[in-house]
Amino acid sequence: MTERTQQRYEPQAVEAKWQAYWEAEQTFRTGDDTAAGAAKPKAYILDMFPYPSGAGLHVGHPEGYTATDIVARFRRAQGYCVLHPMGWDAFGLPAEQHAIRTGTHPRATTAANIANFRRQLKALGFSYDWSREIDTTSPDYVRFTQWIFLKLFERGLAYQQEVPVNWCAELGTVLANEEVKDGLSEVGGYPVTRVPLRQWVLRITAYADRLLDDLSLNEWPASTKQMQEAWIGRSRGCEIRFAVDAQAQGAGKEPLVLEVFTTRPDTLFGVTYIALAPEHPHLTALTAPGQAGAVAAYVEAARHRSDLDRKAAKTKSGVPLGTFARHPLSGEQVPLWVADYVLGDYGSGAVMGVPAHDERDFDFATTCGLPIKHVVVREDPGGAAGASASTSPQAAVCEPGWLVDSGAFSGLTSDAGGEAIAAALEAKSAGQVTVQYKLRDWVFARQRYWGEPIPILFPVETAGDPRTGADYRIDYSQPIALSASELPLTLPELEDFRPGSDPAGALARALDWRFVQRDGRWFARETNTMPQWAGSCWYYLRFIDPRNPECIADPAKLKAWLPVDLYVGGAEHAVLHLLYARFWHKVLFDEGVVPTPEPFGKLVHQGMILGEVEYGVYRDAQGQPVSRADVDLRAEPPARIADGAAVTLEKLDAAEATKNKRGDFVLANDDGVVLEARAYKMSKSRGNVVSPDEIIEAFGADSMRLYEMFMGPLEATKPWNTQNIQGVRRLVDRAYQIALNADRTLRIEDCPEREALTQALHRTIRKVTEDIEALRFNTAISALMVLTQTLQDLAAVPQAAAETLALLMHPFAPHLGEEMWACLGYPPSIQSVPWPTFDPALCESDTIEVPVQINGKVRGRLTLSRGLAEAEVLAQAQSLESVAPHLEGKSLVKTVWVPDKILTLVVR
RNA sequence: GCCGGGGUGGCGAAAUGGCAAACGCAGGUGACUUAAAAUCACCCGAGGUAACCCCUCCUGCGGGUUCGAGUCCCGCCCUCGGCACCA
């Protein structure tokens, strides 16, 4: 052994040094010239940018950011021109609520939070091009968010509509569905009513088909695509019109026609009622005078229930309208009902009730005593027209089958019958084949302060100056877009950020801002603001050319960089953010602004990082432990099953838990008591949140990065364990020692272990390269650990071997990489050094060890040279000392030789 | 209820249908040290034998395909996410 320097690696000092170097040298600045040129291939590697919350970075953030950073550094080393930016999704409710509570301007809160987030990200050594940093609240950015809104408006994709919202007068605010419980606000328990409010709405439904079809262009997780498909919810069916009986309506009115949508036109002859949603526009007109009171009461009750409440209701209810419609084909009378299981905003807000063949209709008909008529049977009735349906079973028959009791259509299959019925309806102008979507237009207005103002003016009728108290009337039917040159429209300064008693929001009180005079006429600004989604819908475009004062980004640069090559972010954005951004992108594509139909090529969701595993024991009021198996966990609070006594969960030290034979964790001193042992989502209230700051302080940023990547597959949900960081911390130290002690003059060819060493190096290069490409960072790090061990075991490490280790290591542990490179005598930065390459021939050794299996069990091993024939291998195997006894007295039935892999003998 | 992901040592995990448990944590033994930490070396799924060799069993459960299954097929159980009256 030669004398080795044992100088411990000091992450704090080393990391600060290289972070300062990168900042001073702008090591990671993306060159625009190269971006446009075709000389280098491009890689646009993007993280979902964060909302800079007051709580600071959470260990979940750096997981995705580290993954993209590794890929970014790897691609740069491979000669790609890399765009790897970061910014802030900085509008949002928390800053506004903080403002309401404390009077601090949201801008101040936001700026402080951004500064903290930026500090934390820089401490992790991410290779962002910070010169491209953007903030969705800056006027430069808002200007183009508003510009895109104007494009949507010009194209008729932004319109105003009265939308029912959950208005709480007491709190002076509009609540989300989740915030309403039993008609009362979750906070304070004040009454909530569904009131129609004028809102801006984006016509995303116009793009439903393209949003669905173009999913195939993207390399996305199948589950995410499926979620978007389900969200869009395209279904083919039939619109059917039922004429309403004349006596239902007052004299002299147009005869009303009721339209319903169904995916099962084959069941049309099984209709026994028609149900309308409580929100149906013609409900009053269709109600018989005798039922008006009952119907009005039902509708009023429904108005006080939020959508969620309504959907949670188990039993169905409804009230008859006392009027009837005519079946379009049979001419039979069908009663009309109002029922809140019918959704007002899907289809036409009315359904044809076919209790025999739809579960919901079955439930409704059963509760309300409506008849059930079977028109589809499971077995082929033999084509005999007029064959009769079997008697009423206990449940609806929802599968397709053969039609019966359906007039001329009896005997047809559901498919053929449905088509024939649709055709018959079409011939009578009583219906047609159509497509419906679950996707609804996007309510794009919030009654908030801290958001992008909507750049719209409305004419005002007034006798004086509306800013000083003159009466006025705003004509919302005449929206006037600001011109692009008037952008950005910035927020007025306010001191009171509360929404107030006017649903129009806080901005309505900023009279000087709200009312403007032009050519002697008064106009009022829109006082709603955009939702938080707006900024994140196009930020990936702005990163391409973040300081462009003329437009979103230079068209040539957009062409050079789009689409995003790798997009990493949480699965919680699988639907909304990713759908909204795709929608805007497609609008901009139609507008000729962006050159691609889709924004994000490859998408990956990093998994959630849970808190440390917690052990807990249930105890009753006397403090006696209760086995988890004896606890009813559904009870609130959890209770002992035997007597219903409440039990509480008490935290235990891991040392007090042990695992029994059945695989349950039990008390170490009482194995009859099964424990609760699991990891929970990190949350402030649980007190299991780990901050990157404390980890960096204790172990260094490189160890933090390595640990998060080593924990398991990027996409898996994984429990945090601070103790496990030791493993990667040791790797960092060992790798550093290798660089420190490398023999500058020793060549690999002169090593006694040259063959094994060459193979180890080439194999590791191959493994790490392939694993980074496939985002398998955990196994790449494992390979680096193996190589480190190999080098550490050498009497002397050749310079070239240490260089390879440094190069392979630096995307994962960039500060260590730079430090090793410096130790090896090179000037910075290691980022500018080409990625090492491997020779496949050098990854394999000449001799191989092959197991010999007999009836599926390994009985011996052969050391062979490559490429031997089966007969040769078999002969060698049979003579093996460990194999021969197993063949004795048996006959060899079969031999399977997987070349250079395994030999299997089957004997009997 | 429906749609997805997952279930492998004490723990995090690895394994193109081909030697299950690589790599790491924890634990154990030893070296170094006045001592501890750090570092280094070795051991480390369960059972039988128990000193070693060796043998048997083992990837949630039950079947199947195959010379061979953690991996593929069928049927269950558990768990984590998402959606949920969409006619």
Side-chain angles (χ1 to χ4, degrees), chain A residues 262-263 311 316 360 659 730 861:
Chain A
T262 180
T263 53
K311 287 173 183 172
K316 301 205 173 358
R360 298 153 301 183
K659 207 168 196 181
R730 287 182 184 130
R861 284 161 200 294

PDB file of all heavy atoms in Angstrom, chain A residues 262-263 311 316 360 659 730 861, chain B residues 11-12 19 23 25 85-87:
ATOM      1  N   THR A 262     -78.491  10.350 -25.622  1.00  0.00           N
ATOM      2  CA  THR A 262     -78.307   8.993 -25.117  1.00  0.00           C
ATOM      3  C   THR A 262     -77.221   8.291 -25.903  1.00  0.00           C
ATOM      4  O   THR A 262     -77.045   8.550 -27.093  1.00  0.00           O
ATOM      5  CB  THR A 262     -79.607   8.170 -25.192  1.00  0.00           C
ATOM      6  OG1 THR A 262     -79.345   6.859 -24.677  1.00  0.00           O
ATOM      7  CG2 THR A 262     -80.122   8.058 -26.616  1.00  0.00           C
ATOM      8  N   THR A 263     -76.471   7.437 -25.217  1.00  0.00           N
ATOM      9  CA  THR A 263     -75.513   6.588 -25.932  1.00  0.00           C
ATOM     10  C   THR A 263     -76.178   5.272 -26.312  1.00  0.00           C
ATOM     11  O   THR A 263     -75.583   4.437 -26.948  1.00  0.00           O
ATOM     12  CB  THR A 263     -74.281   6.257 -25.050  1.00  0.00           C
ATOM     13  OG1 THR A 263     -74.736   5.714 -23.814  1.00  0.00           O
ATOM     14  CG2 THR A 263     -73.431   7.485 -24.791  1.00  0.00           C
ATOM     15  N   LYS A 311     -73.795  15.025  -5.854  1.00  0.00           N
ATOM     16  CA  LYS A 311     -73.248  13.780  -6.387  1.00  0.00           C
ATOM     17  C   LYS A 311     -73.068  12.748  -5.288  1.00  0.00           C
ATOM     18  O   LYS A 311     -73.070  11.557  -5.550  1.00  0.00           O
ATOM     19  CB  LYS A 311     -71.911  14.060  -7.075  1.00  0.00           C
ATOM     20  CG  LYS A 311     -72.093  14.773  -8.404  1.00  0.00           C
ATOM     21  CD  LYS A 311     -70.769  15.190  -8.988  1.00  0.00           C
ATOM     22  CE  LYS A 311     -71.005  15.968 -10.275  1.00  0.00           C
ATOM     23  NZ  LYS A 311     -69.758  16.550 -10.778  1.00  0.00           N
ATOM     24  N   LYS A 316     -81.921   8.529  -4.999  1.00  0.00           N
ATOM     25  CA  LYS A 316     -82.365   9.491  -6.004  1.00  0.00           C
ATOM     26  C   LYS A 316     -83.715  10.068  -5.603  1.00  0.00           C
ATOM     27  O   LYS A 316     -84.510   9.425  -4.909  1.00  0.00           O
ATOM     28  CB  LYS A 316     -82.458   8.783  -7.344  1.00  0.00           C
ATOM     29  CG  LYS A 316     -81.116   8.183  -7.753  1.00  0.00           C
ATOM     30  CD  LYS A 316     -81.005   8.035  -9.219  1.00  0.00           C
ATOM     31  CE  LYS A 316     -79.618   7.594  -9.662  1.00  0.00           C
ATOM     32  NZ  LYS A 316     -78.614   7.435  -8.645  1.00  0.00           N
ATOM     33  N   ARG A 360     -78.893   3.907 -13.034  1.00  0.00           N
ATOM     34  CA  ARG A 360     -79.376   5.113 -12.361  1.00  0.00           C
ATOM     35  C   ARG A 360     -80.875   5.289 -12.579  1.00  0.00           C
ATOM     36  O   ARG A 360     -81.617   5.616 -11.658  1.00  0.00           O
ATOM     37  CB  ARG A 360     -78.602   6.321 -12.881  1.00  0.00           C
ATOM     38  CG  ARG A 360     -77.142   6.219 -12.574  1.00  0.00           C
ATOM     39  CD  ARG A 360     -76.315   6.973 -13.570  1.00  0.00           C
ATOM     40  NE  ARG A 360     -76.531   6.465 -14.937  1.00  0.00           N
ATOM     41  CZ  ARG A 360     -75.897   6.907 -15.999  1.00  0.00           C
ATOM     42  NH1 ARG A 360     -75.037   7.889 -15.877  1.00  0.00           N
ATOM     43  NH2 ARG A 360     -76.138   6.402 -17.186  1.00  0.00           N
ATOM     44  N   LYS A 659     -40.795  -7.486  13.678  1.00  0.00           N
ATOM     45  CA  LYS A 659     -41.687  -8.103  12.712  1.00  0.00           C
ATOM     46  C   LYS A 659     -41.944  -9.554  13.105  1.00  0.00           C
ATOM     47  O   LYS A 659     -41.010 -10.273  13.445  1.00  0.00           O
ATOM     48  CB  LYS A 659     -41.057  -8.045  11.319  1.00  0.00           C
ATOM     49  CG  LYS A 659     -42.098  -8.047  10.215  1.00  0.00           C
ATOM     50  CD  LYS A 659     -41.478  -7.699   8.880  1.00  0.00           C
ATOM     51  CE  LYS A 659     -42.551  -7.322   7.883  1.00  0.00           C
ATOM     52  NZ  LYS A 659     -42.019  -6.987   6.567  1.00  0.00           N
ATOM     53  N   ARG A 730     -20.794   8.430   1.843  1.00  0.00           N
ATOM     54  CA  ARG A 730     -19.542   7.671   1.788  1.00  0.00           C
ATOM     55  C   ARG A 730     -19.029   7.599   0.354  1.00  0.00           C
ATOM     56  O   ARG A 730     -17.821   7.680   0.116  1.00  0.00           O
ATOM     57  CB  ARG A 730     -19.750   6.260   2.334  1.00  0.00           C
ATOM     58  CG  ARG A 730     -19.899   6.260   3.826  1.00  0.00           C
ATOM     59  CD  ARG A 730     -20.059   4.857   4.401  1.00  0.00           C
ATOM     60  NE  ARG A 730     -20.288   4.990   5.834  1.00  0.00           N
ATOM     61  CZ  ARG A 730     -21.271   4.393   6.514  1.00  0.00           C
ATOM     62  NH1 ARG A 730     -22.109   3.591   5.886  1.00  0.00           N
ATOM     63  NH2 ARG A 730     -21.400   4.593   7.802  1.00  0.00           N
ATOM     64  N   ARG A 861     -21.164 -25.069 -11.957  1.00  0.00           N
ATOM     65  CA  ARG A 861     -20.774 -23.942 -12.798  1.00  0.00           C
ATOM     66  C   ARG A 861     -19.619 -24.319 -13.684  1.00  0.00           C
ATOM     67  O   ARG A 861     -18.747 -25.084 -13.274  1.00  0.00           O
ATOM     68  CB  ARG A 861     -20.307 -22.782 -11.905  1.00  0.00           C
ATOM     69  CG  ARG A 861     -21.426 -22.080 -11.254  1.00  0.00           C
ATOM     70  CD  ARG A 861     -20.949 -21.266 -10.058  1.00  0.00           C
ATOM     71  NE  ARG A 861     -22.096 -21.005  -9.216  1.00  0.00           N
ATOM     72  CZ  ARG A 861     -23.116 -20.237  -9.593  1.00  0.00           C
ATOM     73  NH1 ARG A 861     -23.085 -19.636 -10.768  1.00  0.00           N
ATOM     74  NH2 ARG A 861     -24.141 -20.075  -8.813  1.00  0.00           N
TER      75      ARG A 861
ATOM     76  P     C B  11     -38.698  -5.488   6.226  1.00  0.00           P
ATOM     77  OP1   C B  11     -40.147  -5.306   6.129  1.00  0.00           O
ATOM     78  OP2   C B  11     -37.997  -6.406   5.306  1.00  0.00           O
ATOM     79  O5'   C B  11     -38.000  -4.064   6.097  1.00  0.00           O
ATOM     80  C5'   C B  11     -38.529  -2.936   6.770  1.00  0.00           C
ATOM     81  C4'   C B  11     -37.702  -1.723   6.427  1.00  0.00           C
ATOM     82  O4'   C B  11     -36.317  -1.972   6.826  1.00  0.00           O
ATOM     83  C3'   C B  11     -37.580  -1.425   4.938  1.00  0.00           C
ATOM     84  O3'   C B  11     -38.706  -0.731   4.439  1.00  0.00           O
ATOM     85  C2'   C B  11     -36.307  -0.592   4.892  1.00  0.00           C
ATOM     86  O2'   C B  11     -36.533   0.715   5.365  1.00  0.00           O
ATOM     87  C1'   C B  11     -35.441  -1.336   5.914  1.00  0.00           C
ATOM     88  N1    C B  11     -34.600  -2.363   5.259  1.00  0.00           N
ATOM     89  C2    C B  11     -33.487  -1.936   4.517  1.00  0.00           C
ATOM     90  O2    C B  11     -33.267  -0.714   4.439  1.00  0.00           O
ATOM     91  N3    C B  11     -32.702  -2.844   3.911  1.00  0.00           N
ATOM     92  C4    C B  11     -32.973  -4.142   4.026  1.00  0.00           C
ATOM     93  N4    C B  11     -32.157  -5.002   3.403  1.00  0.00           N
ATOM     94  C5    C B  11     -34.099  -4.607   4.767  1.00  0.00           C
ATOM     95  C6    C B  11     -34.882  -3.696   5.367  1.00  0.00           C
ATOM     96  P     G B  12     -39.077  -0.893   2.881  1.00  0.00           P
ATOM     97  OP1   G B  12     -40.382  -0.242   2.716  1.00  0.00           O
ATOM     98  OP2   G B  12     -38.895  -2.297   2.473  1.00  0.00           O
ATOM     99  O5'   G B  12     -37.985  -0.032   2.124  1.00  0.00           O
ATOM    100  C5'   G B  12     -37.977   1.380   2.259  1.00  0.00           C
ATOM    101  C4'   G B  12     -36.909   1.971   1.387  1.00  0.00           C
ATOM    102  O4'   G B  12     -35.599   1.550   1.843  1.00  0.00           O
ATOM    103  C3'   G B  12     -36.921   1.531  -0.063  1.00  0.00           C
ATOM    104  O3'   G B  12     -37.937   2.176  -0.808  1.00  0.00           O
ATOM    105  C2'   G B  12     -35.519   1.921  -0.499  1.00  0.00           C
ATOM    106  O2'   G B  12     -35.400   3.313  -0.657  1.00  0.00           O
ATOM    107  C1'   G B  12     -34.706   1.489   0.737  1.00  0.00           C
ATOM    108  N9    G B  12     -34.232   0.118   0.573  1.00  0.00           N
ATOM    109  C8    G B  12     -34.798  -1.027   1.066  1.00  0.00           C
ATOM    110  N7    G B  12     -34.148  -2.109   0.728  1.00  0.00           N
ATOM    111  C5    G B  12     -33.085  -1.651  -0.039  1.00  0.00           C
ATOM    112  C6    G B  12     -32.043  -2.372  -0.687  1.00  0.00           C
ATOM    113  O6    G B  12     -31.846  -3.588  -0.709  1.00  0.00           O
ATOM    114  N1    G B  12     -31.178  -1.511  -1.364  1.00  0.00           N
ATOM    115  C2    G B  12     -31.299  -0.147  -1.413  1.00  0.00           C
ATOM    116  N2    G B  12     -30.383   0.505  -2.112  1.00  0.00           N
ATOM    117  N3    G B  12     -32.277   0.533  -0.811  1.00  0.00           N
ATOM    118  C4    G B  12     -33.121  -0.278  -0.150  1.00  0.00           C
ATOM    119  P     C B  19     -31.007 -15.988 -13.769  1.00  0.00           P
ATOM    120  OP1   C B  19     -32.318 -16.020 -13.112  1.00  0.00           O
ATOM    121  OP2   C B  19     -30.246 -14.737 -13.867  1.00  0.00           O
ATOM    122  O5'   C B  19     -30.067 -17.094 -13.126  1.00  0.00           O
ATOM    123  C5'   C B  19     -30.564 -18.409 -12.913  1.00  0.00           C
ATOM    124  C4'   C B  19     -29.937 -18.929 -11.660  1.00  0.00           C
ATOM    125  O4'   C B  19     -28.503 -19.051 -11.900  1.00  0.00           O
ATOM    126  C3'   C B  19     -30.076 -17.995 -10.459  1.00  0.00           C
ATOM    127  O3'   C B  19     -30.172 -18.780  -9.278  1.00  0.00           O
ATOM    128  C2'   C B  19     -28.784 -17.217 -10.447  1.00  0.00           C
ATOM    129  O2'   C B  19     -28.401 -16.771  -9.173  1.00  0.00           O
ATOM    130  C1'   C B  19     -27.805 -18.277 -10.963  1.00  0.00           C
ATOM    131  N1    C B  19     -26.662 -17.694 -11.642  1.00  0.00           N
ATOM    132  C2    C B  19     -25.386 -17.926 -11.106  1.00  0.00           C
ATOM    133  O2    C B  19     -25.287 -18.630 -10.105  1.00  0.00           O
ATOM    134  N3    C B  19     -24.313 -17.382 -11.717  1.00  0.00           N
ATOM    135  C4    C B  19     -24.471 -16.629 -12.792  1.00  0.00           C
ATOM    136  N4    C B  19     -23.386 -16.113 -13.347  1.00  0.00           N
ATOM    137  C5    C B  19     -25.756 -16.364 -13.352  1.00  0.00           C
ATOM    138  C6    C B  19     -26.810 -16.904 -12.743  1.00  0.00           C
ATOM    139  P     C B  23     -22.962  -5.758  -4.329  1.00  0.00           P
ATOM    140  OP1   C B  23     -21.506  -5.695  -4.548  1.00  0.00           O
ATOM    141  OP2   C B  23     -23.516  -6.429  -3.144  1.00  0.00           O
ATOM    142  O5'   C B  23     -23.549  -4.277  -4.353  1.00  0.00           O
ATOM    143  C5'   C B  23     -23.074  -3.311  -5.280  1.00  0.00           C
ATOM    144  C4'   C B  23     -23.856  -2.022  -5.123  1.00  0.00           C
ATOM    145  O4'   C B  23     -25.234  -2.243  -5.524  1.00  0.00           O
ATOM    146  C3'   C B  23     -23.993  -1.530  -3.685  1.00  0.00           C
ATOM    147  O3'   C B  23     -22.829  -0.845  -3.239  1.00  0.00           O
ATOM    148  C2'   C B  23     -25.206  -0.632  -3.790  1.00  0.00           C
ATOM    149  O2'   C B  23     -24.898   0.582  -4.443  1.00  0.00           O
ATOM    150  C1'   C B  23     -26.099  -1.463  -4.711  1.00  0.00           C
ATOM    151  N1    C B  23     -26.962  -2.376  -3.924  1.00  0.00           N
ATOM    152  C2    C B  23     -28.138  -1.860  -3.347  1.00  0.00           C
ATOM    153  O2    C B  23     -28.413  -0.659  -3.527  1.00  0.00           O
ATOM    154  N3    C B  23     -28.923  -2.683  -2.619  1.00  0.00           N
ATOM    155  C4    C B  23     -28.577  -3.956  -2.444  1.00  0.00           C
ATOM    156  N4    C B  23     -29.388  -4.721  -1.710  1.00  0.00           N
ATOM    157  C5    C B  23     -27.394  -4.502  -3.009  1.00  0.00           C
ATOM    158  C6    C B  23     -26.610  -3.685  -3.736  1.00  0.00           C
ATOM    159  P     C B  25     -23.955   1.852   3.356  1.00  0.00           P
ATOM    160  OP1   C B  25     -23.047   2.900   3.841  1.00  0.00           O
ATOM    161  OP2   C B  25     -23.557   0.431   3.386  1.00  0.00           O
ATOM    162  O5'   C B  25     -25.348   1.978   4.134  1.00  0.00           O
ATOM    163  C5'   C B  25     -25.960   3.255   4.299  1.00  0.00           C
ATOM    164  C4'   C B  25     -27.259   3.101   5.039  1.00  0.00           C
ATOM    165  O4'   C B  25     -28.136   2.207   4.309  1.00  0.00           O
ATOM    166  C3'   C B  25     -27.166   2.445   6.402  1.00  0.00           C
ATOM    167  O3'   C B  25     -26.727   3.356   7.393  1.00  0.00           O
ATOM    168  C2'   C B  25     -28.599   1.990   6.617  1.00  0.00           C
ATOM    169  O2'   C B  25     -29.432   3.087   6.942  1.00  0.00           O
ATOM    170  C1'   C B  25     -28.959   1.498   5.214  1.00  0.00           C
ATOM    171  N1    C B  25     -28.715   0.051   5.067  1.00  0.00           N
ATOM    172  C2    C B  25     -29.633  -0.839   5.643  1.00  0.00           C
ATOM    173  O2    C B  25     -30.604  -0.373   6.260  1.00  0.00           O
ATOM    174  N3    C B  25     -29.435  -2.175   5.529  1.00  0.00           N
ATOM    175  C4    C B  25     -28.381  -2.628   4.867  1.00  0.00           C
ATOM    176  N4    C B  25     -28.241  -3.954   4.767  1.00  0.00           N
ATOM    177  C5    C B  25     -27.425  -1.752   4.266  1.00  0.00           C
ATOM    178  C6    C B  25     -27.627  -0.423   4.386  1.00  0.00           C
ATOM    179  P     C B  85     -70.667  11.700 -10.161  1.00  0.00           P
ATOM    180  OP1   C B  85     -70.752  13.137 -10.085  1.00  0.00           O
ATOM    181  OP2   C B  85     -70.722  10.860  -8.937  1.00  0.00           O
ATOM    182  O5'   C B  85     -71.706  11.135 -11.212  1.00  0.00           O
ATOM    183  C5'   C B  85     -71.536   9.813 -11.702  1.00  0.00           C
ATOM    184  C4'   C B  85     -72.872   9.227 -12.005  1.00  0.00           C
ATOM    185  O4'   C B  85     -73.689   9.311 -10.807  1.00  0.00           O
ATOM    186  C3'   C B  85     -73.597   9.955 -13.125  1.00  0.00           C
ATOM    187  O3'   C B  85     -74.170   9.008 -14.001  1.00  0.00           O
ATOM    188  C2'   C B  85     -74.692  10.712 -12.387  1.00  0.00           C
ATOM    189  O2'   C B  85     -75.867  10.837 -13.159  1.00  0.00           O
ATOM    190  C1'   C B  85     -74.961   9.801 -11.187  1.00  0.00           C
ATOM    191  N1    C B  85     -75.534  10.471 -10.039  1.00  0.00           N
ATOM    192  C2    C B  85     -76.689   9.906  -9.490  1.00  0.00           C
ATOM    193  O2    C B  85     -77.148   8.868 -10.004  1.00  0.00           O
ATOM    194  N3    C B  85     -77.257  10.501  -8.424  1.00  0.00           N
ATOM    195  C4    C B  85     -76.718  11.609  -7.923  1.00  0.00           C
ATOM    196  N4    C B  85     -77.319  12.149  -6.878  1.00  0.00           N
ATOM    197  C5    C B  85     -75.546  12.199  -8.471  1.00  0.00           C
ATOM    198  C6    C B  85     -74.987  11.607  -9.536  1.00  0.00           C
ATOM    199  P     C B  86     -73.171   8.309 -15.067  1.00  0.00           P
ATOM    200  OP1   C B  86     -74.033   7.357 -15.773  1.00  0.00           O
ATOM    201  OP2   C B  86     -71.909   7.876 -14.454  1.00  0.00           O
ATOM    202  O5'   C B  86     -72.834   9.497 -16.069  1.00  0.00           O
ATOM    203  C5'   C B  86     -73.826   9.987 -16.950  1.00  0.00           C
ATOM    204  C4'   C B  86     -73.162  10.760 -18.067  1.00  0.00           C
ATOM    205  O4'   C B  86     -72.739  12.046 -17.565  1.00  0.00           O
ATOM    206  C3'   C B  86     -71.917  10.098 -18.632  1.00  0.00           C
ATOM    207  O3'   C B  86     -71.885  10.331 -20.017  1.00  0.00           O
ATOM    208  C2'   C B  86     -70.770  10.825 -17.943  1.00  0.00           C
ATOM    209  O2'   C B  86     -69.607  10.878 -18.702  1.00  0.00           O
ATOM    210  C1'   C B  86     -71.360  12.231 -17.779  1.00  0.00           C
ATOM    211  N1    C B  86     -70.835  12.969 -16.624  1.00  0.00           N
ATOM    212  C2    C B  86     -70.152  14.171 -16.845  1.00  0.00           C
ATOM    213  O2    C B  86     -70.024  14.596 -17.992  1.00  0.00           O
ATOM    214  N3    C B  86     -69.671  14.853 -15.789  1.00  0.00           N
ATOM    215  C4    C B  86     -69.833  14.375 -14.560  1.00  0.00           C
ATOM    216  N4    C B  86     -69.340  15.082 -13.545  1.00  0.00           N
ATOM    217  C5    C B  86     -70.509  13.153 -14.320  1.00  0.00           C
ATOM    218  C6    C B  86     -70.988  12.476 -15.379  1.00  0.00           C
ATOM    219  P     A B  87     -71.898   9.032 -20.947  1.00  0.00           P
ATOM    220  OP1   A B  87     -71.008   7.982 -20.447  1.00  0.00           O
ATOM    221  OP2   A B  87     -71.693   9.624 -22.256  1.00  0.00           O
ATOM    222  O5'   A B  87     -73.379   8.450 -20.877  1.00  0.00           O
ATOM    223  C5'   A B  87     -74.346   8.940 -21.742  1.00  0.00           C
ATOM    224  C4'   A B  87     -75.691   8.517 -21.247  1.00  0.00           C
ATOM    225  O4'   A B  87     -75.875   9.019 -19.907  1.00  0.00           O
ATOM    226  C3'   A B  87     -76.850   9.109 -22.044  1.00  0.00           C
ATOM    227  O3'   A B  87     -77.156   8.315 -23.184  1.00  0.00           O
ATOM    228  C2'   A B  87     -77.973   9.125 -21.036  1.00  0.00           C
ATOM    229  O2'   A B  87     -78.568   7.857 -20.933  1.00  0.00           O
ATOM    230  C1'   A B  87     -77.217   9.440 -19.750  1.00  0.00           C
ATOM    231  N9    A B  87     -77.223  10.880 -19.449  1.00  0.00           N
ATOM    232  C8    A B  87     -77.253  11.947 -20.301  1.00  0.00           C
ATOM    233  N7    A B  87     -77.269  13.108 -19.733  1.00  0.00           N
ATOM    234  C5    A B  87     -77.235  12.797 -18.392  1.00  0.00           C
ATOM    235  C6    A B  87     -77.228  13.590 -17.257  1.00  0.00           C
ATOM    236  N6    A B  87     -77.259  14.917 -17.283  1.00  0.00           N
ATOM    237  N1    A B  87     -77.178  12.984 -16.071  1.00  0.00           N
ATOM    238  C2    A B  87     -77.151  11.641 -16.037  1.00  0.00           C
ATOM    239  N3    A B  87     -77.155  10.778 -17.049  1.00  0.00           N
ATOM    240  C4    A B  87     -77.197  11.430 -18.210  1.00  0.00           C
TER     241        A B  87
END
